[in-house]
Amino acid sequence: MRKSIATVSVSGSLTEKLTAVAQAGFDGVEIFENDLLGCPLPPERIRERAADLGLSIDLYQPFRDFEAVGPDRLAANLRRAERKFRIMERLGADLMLVCSNVSPETVDDDTLAAEQLHRLADLAAGHGIRIAYEALAWGRNVNEYLHAWRIVRMADHPALGTCLDSFHILSRGSDPGGIEAIAGDKIFFLQLADAPLLAMDVLQWSRHHRCFPGQGGFDLAGLLTHVLRAGYTGPLSLEVFNDVFRQTDTGRTAVDAMRSLITLEESVAPVRGAASPLPYASPPDGFAFAELATDDRQRLATLLGGLGFARTGGHATKPVELWEQNQARILLNSPTTDSVPGGDAGTTLTAIGLESSDPRASSLRARSLLSPVLPREREPREAPLEAVAGPDGTQLFFCRTGDSQQPLWRADFSPAAPPAGPVTGIDHLALSHPWRHFDAAVLFHRSVLGLRPHDSFDVADPYGLLRSRAMTNDTGTVRMVLNIARLGDRELSLQHVALATDDIVAVAERLRTVPDALLPIPGNYYDDLEARYDLGEERHRQLRELGLMYDADETGEFVHLYTTTIGRVFFEVVERTGGYRGFGTPNAGVRLAAQHIPLQPSG
């Protein structure tokens, strides 16, 4: 399907937007009027620039507050429209978006609205232009898409149709099933936007919090299914008003926008009877390894030893060490500006190995979704690992697994059996993203990796706000937690590796023998814990003495501990019992406060 985007959806000047949109692979654009007004180029030059980039101009928008007004206002509106049509001719645009009236001058009279829209369509037809009438969710009298369609039918003009906008339909809770009652050839245009599910004024929600499909909570696949069944054959177009996107790199946002449309198109391919635009790849089913780049290898080795890991081998051709315990595998590498996200020094989580039943298919899917495929030098006998870059710069390796004892990539390291111990594997990994890339990270993990997003939550700490959202596969064997964190006026880009255990008491007792290994938890936390949970005196004493934190839900319990931070990385050890699938969220604020203590100036 053809893909388009409104210029308001990305940052920059109009010419910058056109370039970025074309480079991302879009077929066309909607020219948002404010972008045209601020551009020094005349409409003819913009038309030429778009054509040179291979972009059609699919829509000019918006034309506001036209219909159901008195004679004097109608005359002024028609005069205004005539001049806009002349601009559109120069621009090479033949479709104008007309929004339902929000002015206090409009009256609640569908017959009058239809008559005046008929006159507007007549005027437009004389310029070779059509009108797409859209119901704004906050329209004064017309705010439902089926109401707008009734007026279009009453007007009965070949140059007048309707524009469907997913935000205006879904934000009001309207049933999109009614779209199938609209004649397909009268759906002149389709605008798509997702949004988080918020309880707020719909106008403010629309102007500041729209996002790309797959980043919010709307069922856009369901809506698009109804649109296609109605017979719509036009482009899929994004119209997103978002404060973050307006401040983010134009090219990066355009790529993210295209990724969202490709994924959405994949979801409706069966409805169209078309082949999927993407190669299928099963979501990863486990963690092969977590790789840390560190300039403090001795301190990290001491901590890993305290956790029960042992160095089981070195890479045959690279200065990389493998540390193992049961199915938990940590690689230690040396930091380079290429290997460390953001070029940070210290210790950083730089790469993640994801177990895949078909690494080649996983890589091809990532490539089809515009994810950078990372070149990797390897010797002939080394495992052919496929790698792509995550939104935060972390390298994601797709690893084919042989049997559970000998993963194929493991053969690159000198052979040694992993030791037994209380740590059984990697439970989850947590990555920090700049605030402006958070929505992009959610979409990446959802579309490229096939992980399912959970609800996001915010946790206040003494110096800022942590925003977090978990992404998991259906079985819970792969859990990724995406975070935004700030400390005062700077981002606190901590990452952590959470290790699974079936005996957290044994892990905690081992770590007590390692100086400064455990993150100290305030006694006040345990006083509160005793008030919230009746676990018995002995268990509460044990939790307090070992620095263990506790959470429970109706399905089971979660006991966990944290190590101190080395560079940007700390470890968490978790023991899950029953069906508990959360992450100890109620304890996050206390953990954050405890981690901030070493960051404060002394004296």
Side-chain angles (χ1 to χ4, degrees), residues 343-383:
D344 295 338
T347 299
T348 308
L349 176 62
T350 57
I352 299 168
L354 296 169
E355 294 178 350
S356 171
S357 59
D358 190 341
R360 183 61 179 163
S362 297
S363 178
L364 287 173
R365 180 178 179 86
R367 188 191 304 268
S368 299
L369 284 164
L370 311 181
S371 301
V373 177
L374 301 175
R376 181 174 179 269
E377 295 183 4
R378 67 181 183 89
E379 298 297 325
R381 294 184 179 181
E382 292 178 13

mmCIF file of all heavy atoms in Angstrom, residues 343-383:
data_model
loop_
_atom_site.group_PDB
_atom_site.id
_atom_site.type_symbol
_atom_site.label_atom_id
_atom_site.label_comp_id
_atom_site.label_asym_id
_atom_site.label_seq_id
_atom_site.Cartn_x
_atom_site.Cartn_y
_atom_site.Cartn_z
ATOM 1 N N GLY A 343 29.128 6.213 23.497
ATOM 2 C CA GLY A 343 30.555 6.415 23.699
ATOM 3 C C GLY A 343 30.952 6.560 25.152
ATOM 4 O O GLY A 343 32.034 7.015 25.473
ATOM 5 N N ASP A 344 30.064 6.142 26.095
ATOM 6 C CA ASP A 344 30.362 6.282 27.510
ATOM 7 C C ASP A 344 31.495 5.358 27.918
ATOM 8 O O ASP A 344 31.626 4.236 27.420
ATOM 9 C CB ASP A 344 29.136 5.958 28.361
ATOM 10 C CG ASP A 344 28.008 6.950 28.153
ATOM 11 O OD1 ASP A 344 28.309 8.064 27.710
ATOM 12 O OD2 ASP A 344 26.855 6.609 28.444
ATOM 13 N N ALA A 345 32.312 5.805 28.848
ATOM 14 C CA ALA A 345 33.355 4.960 29.414
ATOM 15 C C ALA A 345 32.778 4.212 30.606
ATOM 16 O O ALA A 345 31.618 4.343 30.951
ATOM 17 C CB ALA A 345 34.553 5.821 29.821
ATOM 18 N N GLY A 346 33.604 3.434 31.275
ATOM 19 C CA GLY A 346 33.145 2.678 32.427
ATOM 20 C C GLY A 346 32.647 1.324 32.004
ATOM 21 O O GLY A 346 33.188 0.677 31.107
ATOM 22 N N THR A 347 31.602 0.863 32.676
ATOM 23 C CA THR A 347 31.001 -0.434 32.387
ATOM 24 C C THR A 347 29.604 -0.216 31.818
ATOM 25 O O THR A 347 28.791 0.499 32.402
ATOM 26 C CB THR A 347 30.938 -1.295 33.657
ATOM 27 O OG1 THR A 347 32.273 -1.506 34.135
ATOM 28 C CG2 THR A 347 30.268 -2.628 33.386
ATOM 29 N N THR A 348 29.331 -0.833 30.682
ATOM 30 C CA THR A 348 28.076 -0.614 29.977
ATOM 31 C C THR A 348 27.595 -1.917 29.360
ATOM 32 O O THR A 348 28.403 -2.722 28.881
ATOM 33 C CB THR A 348 28.261 0.425 28.844
ATOM 34 O OG1 THR A 348 28.860 1.595 29.371
ATOM 35 C CG2 THR A 348 26.933 0.796 28.219
ATOM 36 N N LEU A 349 26.293 -2.115 29.379
ATOM 37 C CA LEU A 349 25.695 -3.224 28.658
ATOM 38 C C LEU A 349 25.664 -2.860 27.179
ATOM 39 O O LEU A 349 24.942 -1.969 26.759
ATOM 40 C CB LEU A 349 24.275 -3.483 29.178
ATOM 41 C CG LEU A 349 23.452 -4.561 28.463
ATOM 42 C CD1 LEU A 349 24.114 -5.925 28.588
ATOM 43 C CD2 LEU A 349 22.038 -4.599 29.011
ATOM 44 N N THR A 350 26.494 -3.525 26.385
ATOM 45 C CA THR A 350 26.653 -3.136 24.981
ATOM 46 C C THR A 350 25.993 -4.087 24.000
ATOM 47 O O THR A 350 25.713 -3.695 22.871
ATOM 48 C CB THR A 350 28.143 -3.059 24.611
ATOM 49 O OG1 THR A 350 28.753 -4.324 24.880
ATOM 50 C CG2 THR A 350 28.845 -1.978 25.400
ATOM 51 N N ALA A 351 25.768 -5.336 24.392
ATOM 52 C CA ALA A 351 25.210 -6.303 23.447
ATOM 53 C C ALA A 351 24.371 -7.332 24.183
ATOM 54 O O ALA A 351 24.623 -7.654 25.347
ATOM 55 C CB ALA A 351 26.327 -6.999 22.665
ATOM 56 N N ILE A 352 23.358 -7.827 23.475
ATOM 57 C CA ILE A 352 22.453 -8.828 24.020
ATOM 58 C C ILE A 352 22.337 -9.953 22.994
ATOM 59 O O ILE A 352 22.091 -9.702 21.808
ATOM 60 C CB ILE A 352 21.059 -8.241 24.297
ATOM 61 C CG1 ILE A 352 21.152 -7.101 25.332
ATOM 62 C CG2 ILE A 352 20.092 -9.321 24.766
ATOM 63 C CD1 ILE A 352 19.876 -6.288 25.440
ATOM 64 N N GLY A 353 22.530 -11.165 23.429
ATOM 65 C CA GLY A 353 22.307 -12.321 22.577
ATOM 66 C C GLY A 353 20.900 -12.851 22.782
ATOM 67 O O GLY A 353 20.501 -13.160 23.909
ATOM 68 N N LEU A 354 20.136 -12.929 21.717
ATOM 69 C CA LEU A 354 18.758 -13.413 21.774
ATOM 70 C C LEU A 354 18.668 -14.753 21.066
ATOM 71 O O LEU A 354 19.095 -14.879 19.907
ATOM 72 C CB LEU A 354 17.809 -12.409 21.107
ATOM 73 C CG LEU A 354 17.710 -11.043 21.790
ATOM 74 C CD1 LEU A 354 16.971 -10.058 20.899
ATOM 75 C CD2 LEU A 354 17.017 -11.169 23.141
ATOM 76 N N GLU A 355 18.148 -15.748 21.734
ATOM 77 C CA GLU A 355 18.022 -17.063 21.136
ATOM 78 C C GLU A 355 16.887 -17.057 20.121
ATOM 79 O O GLU A 355 15.758 -16.643 20.424
ATOM 80 C CB GLU A 355 17.786 -18.116 22.213
ATOM 81 C CG GLU A 355 18.985 -18.277 23.137
ATOM 82 C CD GLU A 355 18.749 -19.277 24.245
ATOM 83 O OE1 GLU A 355 17.588 -19.705 24.410
ATOM 84 O OE2 GLU A 355 19.714 -19.619 24.943
ATOM 85 N N SER A 356 17.182 -17.468 18.915
ATOM 86 C CA SER A 356 16.219 -17.430 17.820
ATOM 87 C C SER A 356 16.208 -18.777 17.112
ATOM 88 O O SER A 356 17.266 -19.371 16.873
ATOM 89 C CB SER A 356 16.597 -16.325 16.823
ATOM 90 O OG SER A 356 15.817 -16.394 15.659
ATOM 91 N N SER A 357 15.014 -19.242 16.753
ATOM 92 C CA SER A 357 14.916 -20.489 15.996
ATOM 93 C C SER A 357 15.399 -20.316 14.568
ATOM 94 O O SER A 357 15.760 -21.286 13.906
ATOM 95 C CB SER A 357 13.471 -20.994 16.006
ATOM 96 O OG SER A 357 12.604 -20.021 15.427
ATOM 97 N N ASP A 358 15.399 -19.057 14.077
ATOM 98 C CA ASP A 358 15.849 -18.782 12.711
ATOM 99 C C ASP A 358 16.522 -17.406 12.692
ATOM 100 O O ASP A 358 15.887 -16.405 12.372
ATOM 101 C CB ASP A 358 14.675 -18.811 11.741
ATOM 102 C CG ASP A 358 15.110 -18.760 10.278
ATOM 103 O OD1 ASP A 358 16.255 -18.352 10.013
ATOM 104 O OD2 ASP A 358 14.300 -19.104 9.397
ATOM 105 N N PRO A 359 17.797 -17.332 13.064
ATOM 106 C CA PRO A 359 18.478 -16.035 13.132
ATOM 107 C C PRO A 359 18.449 -15.269 11.818
ATOM 108 O O PRO A 359 18.336 -14.036 11.829
ATOM 109 C CB PRO A 359 19.911 -16.417 13.526
ATOM 110 C CG PRO A 359 19.789 -17.724 14.217
ATOM 111 C CD PRO A 359 18.670 -18.435 13.514
ATOM 112 N N ARG A 360 18.537 -15.979 10.694
ATOM 113 C CA ARG A 360 18.533 -15.286 9.410
ATOM 114 C C ARG A 360 17.204 -14.589 9.173
ATOM 115 O O ARG A 360 17.166 -13.438 8.733
ATOM 116 C CB ARG A 360 18.815 -16.287 8.288
ATOM 117 C CG ARG A 360 18.902 -15.674 6.906
ATOM 118 C CD ARG A 360 20.014 -14.657 6.825
ATOM 119 N NE ARG A 360 20.133 -14.069 5.505
ATOM 120 C CZ ARG A 360 20.774 -12.954 5.241
ATOM 121 N NH1 ARG A 360 21.359 -12.275 6.218
ATOM 122 N NH2 ARG A 360 20.857 -12.493 4.009
ATOM 123 N N ALA A 361 16.102 -15.261 9.494
ATOM 124 C CA ALA A 361 14.788 -14.644 9.334
ATOM 125 C C ALA A 361 14.632 -13.455 10.269
ATOM 126 O O ALA A 361 14.050 -12.417 9.898
ATOM 127 C CB ALA A 361 13.692 -15.674 9.588
ATOM 128 N N SER A 362 15.140 -13.572 11.490
ATOM 129 C CA SER A 362 15.063 -12.459 12.436
ATOM 130 C C SER A 362 15.824 -11.250 11.915
ATOM 131 O O SER A 362 15.364 -10.113 12.022
ATOM 132 C CB SER A 362 15.628 -12.883 13.800
ATOM 133 O OG SER A 362 14.857 -13.923 14.366
ATOM 134 N N SER A 363 16.999 -11.498 11.327
ATOM 135 C CA SER A 363 17.790 -10.410 10.771
ATOM 136 C C SER A 363 17.107 -9.778 9.563
ATOM 137 O O SER A 363 17.087 -8.560 9.401
ATOM 138 C CB SER A 363 19.178 -10.928 10.384
ATOM 139 O OG SER A 363 19.959 -9.913 9.802
ATOM 140 N N LEU A 364 16.525 -10.611 8.693
ATOM 141 C CA LEU A 364 15.836 -10.084 7.517
ATOM 142 C C LEU A 364 14.624 -9.249 7.917
ATOM 143 O O LEU A 364 14.330 -8.223 7.301
ATOM 144 C CB LEU A 364 15.396 -11.237 6.608
ATOM 145 C CG LEU A 364 16.513 -11.939 5.828
ATOM 146 C CD1 LEU A 364 15.960 -13.162 5.103
ATOM 147 C CD2 LEU A 364 17.159 -10.969 4.834
ATOM 148 N N ARG A 365 13.919 -9.682 8.944
ATOM 149 C CA ARG A 365 12.778 -8.902 9.425
ATOM 150 C C ARG A 365 13.250 -7.546 9.939
ATOM 151 O O ARG A 365 12.654 -6.513 9.644
ATOM 152 C CB ARG A 365 12.042 -9.668 10.517
ATOM 153 C CG ARG A 365 10.833 -8.908 11.068
ATOM 154 C CD ARG A 365 10.085 -9.693 12.113
ATOM 155 N NE ARG A 365 8.962 -8.921 12.613
ATOM 156 C CZ ARG A 365 7.768 -8.881 12.047
ATOM 157 N NH1 ARG A 365 7.542 -9.582 10.948
ATOM 158 N NH2 ARG A 365 6.798 -8.143 12.568
ATOM 159 N N ALA A 366 14.318 -7.551 10.727
ATOM 160 C CA ALA A 366 14.853 -6.296 11.245
ATOM 161 C C ALA A 366 15.267 -5.370 10.111
ATOM 162 O O ALA A 366 14.987 -4.164 10.133
ATOM 163 C CB ALA A 366 16.041 -6.575 12.165
ATOM 164 N N ARG A 367 15.914 -5.930 9.084
ATOM 165 C CA ARG A 367 16.338 -5.127 7.940
ATOM 166 C C ARG A 367 15.110 -4.549 7.211
ATOM 167 O O ARG A 367 15.111 -3.392 6.803
ATOM 168 C CB ARG A 367 17.166 -5.979 6.982
ATOM 169 C CG ARG A 367 17.819 -5.194 5.849
ATOM 170 C CD ARG A 367 18.382 -6.162 4.796
ATOM 171 N NE ARG A 367 19.320 -7.108 5.364
ATOM 172 C CZ ARG A 367 20.628 -6.914 5.417
ATOM 173 N NH1 ARG A 367 21.150 -5.806 4.944
ATOM 174 N NH2 ARG A 367 21.410 -7.842 5.932
ATOM 175 N N SER A 368 14.064 -5.343 7.057
ATOM 176 C CA SER A 368 12.856 -4.883 6.375
ATOM 177 C C SER A 368 12.158 -3.777 7.154
ATOM 178 O O SER A 368 11.413 -2.979 6.580
ATOM 179 C CB SER A 368 11.889 -6.053 6.176
ATOM 180 O OG SER A 368 12.461 -7.057 5.371
ATOM 181 N N LEU A 369 12.399 -3.740 8.455
ATOM 182 C CA LEU A 369 11.823 -2.695 9.295
ATOM 183 C C LEU A 369 12.817 -1.567 9.548
ATOM 184 O O LEU A 369 12.700 -0.834 10.525
ATOM 185 C CB LEU A 369 11.345 -3.307 10.615
ATOM 186 C CG LEU A 369 10.037 -4.098 10.490
ATOM 187 C CD1 LEU A 369 9.816 -4.990 11.695
ATOM 188 C CD2 LEU A 369 8.860 -3.153 10.297
ATOM 189 N N LEU A 370 13.780 -1.427 8.641
ATOM 190 C CA LEU A 370 14.708 -0.298 8.611
ATOM 191 C C LEU A 370 15.641 -0.243 9.808
ATOM 192 O O LEU A 370 16.148 0.819 10.155
ATOM 193 C CB LEU A 370 13.928 1.026 8.497
ATOM 194 C CG LEU A 370 12.845 1.088 7.414
ATOM 195 C CD1 LEU A 370 12.191 2.457 7.401
ATOM 196 C CD2 LEU A 370 13.426 0.756 6.049
ATOM 197 N N SER A 371 15.891 -1.388 10.426
ATOM 198 C CA SER A 371 16.831 -1.428 11.540
ATOM 199 C C SER A 371 18.244 -1.575 10.991
ATOM 200 O O SER A 371 18.474 -2.409 10.110
ATOM 201 C CB SER A 371 16.524 -2.609 12.468
ATOM 202 O OG SER A 371 15.219 -2.510 12.962
ATOM 203 N N PRO A 372 19.195 -0.801 11.496
ATOM 204 C CA PRO A 372 20.567 -0.916 10.994
ATOM 205 C C PRO A 372 21.151 -2.306 11.268
ATOM 206 O O PRO A 372 21.190 -2.754 12.407
ATOM 207 C CB PRO A 372 21.324 0.159 11.789
ATOM 208 C CG PRO A 372 20.275 1.080 12.320
ATOM 209 C CD PRO A 372 19.049 0.247 12.518
ATOM 210 N N VAL A 373 21.568 -2.978 10.216
ATOM 211 C CA VAL A 373 22.241 -4.267 10.358
ATOM 212 C C VAL A 373 23.727 -4.000 10.527
ATOM 213 O O VAL A 373 24.339 -3.293 9.721
ATOM 214 C CB VAL A 373 21.982 -5.165 9.137
ATOM 215 C CG1 VAL A 373 22.748 -6.477 9.258
ATOM 216 C CG2 VAL A 373 20.483 -5.434 8.990
ATOM 217 N N LEU A 374 24.296 -4.531 11.581
ATOM 218 C CA LEU A 374 25.667 -4.195 11.943
ATOM 219 C C LEU A 374 26.657 -5.127 11.254
ATOM 220 O O LEU A 374 26.524 -6.357 11.329
ATOM 221 C CB LEU A 374 25.849 -4.293 13.457
ATOM 222 C CG LEU A 374 24.934 -3.380 14.279
ATOM 223 C CD1 LEU A 374 25.124 -3.653 15.765
ATOM 224 C CD2 LEU A 374 25.221 -1.918 13.969
ATOM 225 N N PRO A 375 27.651 -4.553 10.588
ATOM 226 C CA PRO A 375 28.692 -5.402 10.011
ATOM 227 C C PRO A 375 29.514 -6.044 11.122
ATOM 228 O O PRO A 375 29.725 -5.452 12.174
ATOM 229 C CB PRO A 375 29.531 -4.412 9.196
ATOM 230 C CG PRO A 375 29.309 -3.084 9.858
ATOM 231 C CD PRO A 375 27.903 -3.112 10.388
ATOM 232 N N ARG A 376 29.952 -7.241 10.884
ATOM 233 C CA ARG A 376 30.695 -7.954 11.921
ATOM 234 C C ARG A 376 31.809 -8.769 11.281
ATOM 235 O O ARG A 376 31.557 -9.625 10.434
ATOM 236 C CB ARG A 376 29.759 -8.873 12.707
ATOM 237 C CG ARG A 376 30.443 -9.643 13.841
ATOM 238 C CD ARG A 376 29.415 -10.405 14.665
ATOM 239 N NE ARG A 376 30.075 -11.157 15.718
ATOM 240 C CZ ARG A 376 30.494 -12.406 15.574
ATOM 241 N NH1 ARG A 376 30.329 -13.029 14.420
ATOM 242 N NH2 ARG A 376 31.084 -13.036 16.587
ATOM 243 N N GLU A 377 33.018 -8.439 11.696
ATOM 244 C CA GLU A 377 34.161 -9.198 11.196
ATOM 245 C C GLU A 377 34.270 -10.514 11.956
ATOM 246 O O GLU A 377 34.135 -10.565 13.179
ATOM 247 C CB GLU A 377 35.450 -8.389 11.376
ATOM 248 C CG GLU A 377 35.502 -7.119 10.537
ATOM 249 C CD GLU A 377 36.814 -6.400 10.698
ATOM 250 O OE1 GLU A 377 37.699 -6.940 11.408
ATOM 251 O OE2 GLU A 377 36.966 -5.307 10.132
ATOM 252 N N ARG A 378 34.492 -11.600 11.241
ATOM 253 C CA ARG A 378 34.633 -12.894 11.899
ATOM 254 C C ARG A 378 35.566 -13.782 11.097
ATOM 255 O O ARG A 378 35.723 -13.632 9.886
ATOM 256 C CB ARG A 378 33.276 -13.575 12.062
ATOM 257 C CG ARG A 378 32.619 -13.997 10.764
ATOM 258 C CD ARG A 378 31.244 -14.645 11.021
ATOM 259 N NE ARG A 378 30.630 -15.128 9.799
ATOM 260 C CZ ARG A 378 30.809 -16.339 9.293
ATOM 261 N NH1 ARG A 378 31.617 -17.197 9.921
ATOM 262 N NH2 ARG A 378 30.227 -16.712 8.170
ATOM 263 N N GLU A 379 36.169 -14.678 11.791
ATOM 264 C CA GLU A 379 37.017 -15.665 11.168
ATOM 265 C C GLU A 379 36.147 -16.768 10.561
ATOM 266 O O GLU A 379 34.984 -16.943 10.969
ATOM 267 C CB GLU A 379 37.983 -16.265 12.196
ATOM 268 C CG GLU A 379 38.943 -15.253 12.801
ATOM 269 C CD GLU A 379 39.876 -14.650 11.760
ATOM 270 O OE1 GLU A 379 40.269 -15.384 10.826
ATOM 271 O OE2 GLU A 379 40.190 -13.454 11.879
ATOM 272 N N PRO A 380 36.669 -17.512 9.589
ATOM 273 C CA PRO A 380 35.855 -18.523 8.890
ATOM 274 C C PRO A 380 35.187 -19.535 9.810
ATOM 275 O O PRO A 380 34.086 -19.995 9.541
ATOM 276 C CB PRO A 380 36.851 -19.192 7.946
ATOM 277 C CG PRO A 380 37.896 -18.151 7.699
ATOM 278 C CD PRO A 380 38.018 -17.388 8.985
ATOM 279 N N ARG A 381 35.850 -19.905 10.897
ATOM 280 C CA ARG A 381 35.293 -20.945 11.758
ATOM 281 C C ARG A 381 34.371 -20.403 12.845
ATOM 282 O O ARG A 381 33.810 -21.177 13.617
ATOM 283 C CB ARG A 381 36.438 -21.736 12.408
ATOM 284 C CG ARG A 381 37.272 -22.540 11.411
ATOM 285 C CD ARG A 381 38.312 -23.374 12.134
ATOM 286 N NE ARG A 381 39.100 -24.170 11.193
ATOM 287 C CZ ARG A 381 40.068 -25.008 11.555
ATOM 288 N NH1 ARG A 381 40.355 -25.155 12.846
ATOM 289 N NH2 ARG A 381 40.728 -25.688 10.635
ATOM 290 N N GLU A 382 34.220 -19.082 12.925
ATOM 291 C CA GLU A 382 33.387 -18.517 13.982
ATOM 292 C C GLU A 382 31.906 -18.587 13.632
ATOM 293 O O GLU A 382 31.519 -18.620 12.462
ATOM 294 C CB GLU A 382 33.785 -17.057 14.227
ATOM 295 C CG GLU A 382 35.165 -16.904 14.821
ATOM 296 C CD GLU A 382 35.547 -15.445 15.007
ATOM 297 O OE1 GLU A 382 34.658 -14.572 14.898
ATOM 298 O OE2 GLU A 382 36.736 -15.189 15.236
ATOM 299 N N ALA A 383 31.068 -18.592 14.666
ATOM 300 C CA ALA A 383 29.617 -18.661 14.477
ATOM 301 C C ALA A 383 29.135 -17.441 13.702
ATOM 302 O O ALA A 383 29.526 -16.305 14.009
ATOM 303 C CB ALA A 383 28.916 -18.735 15.831
#
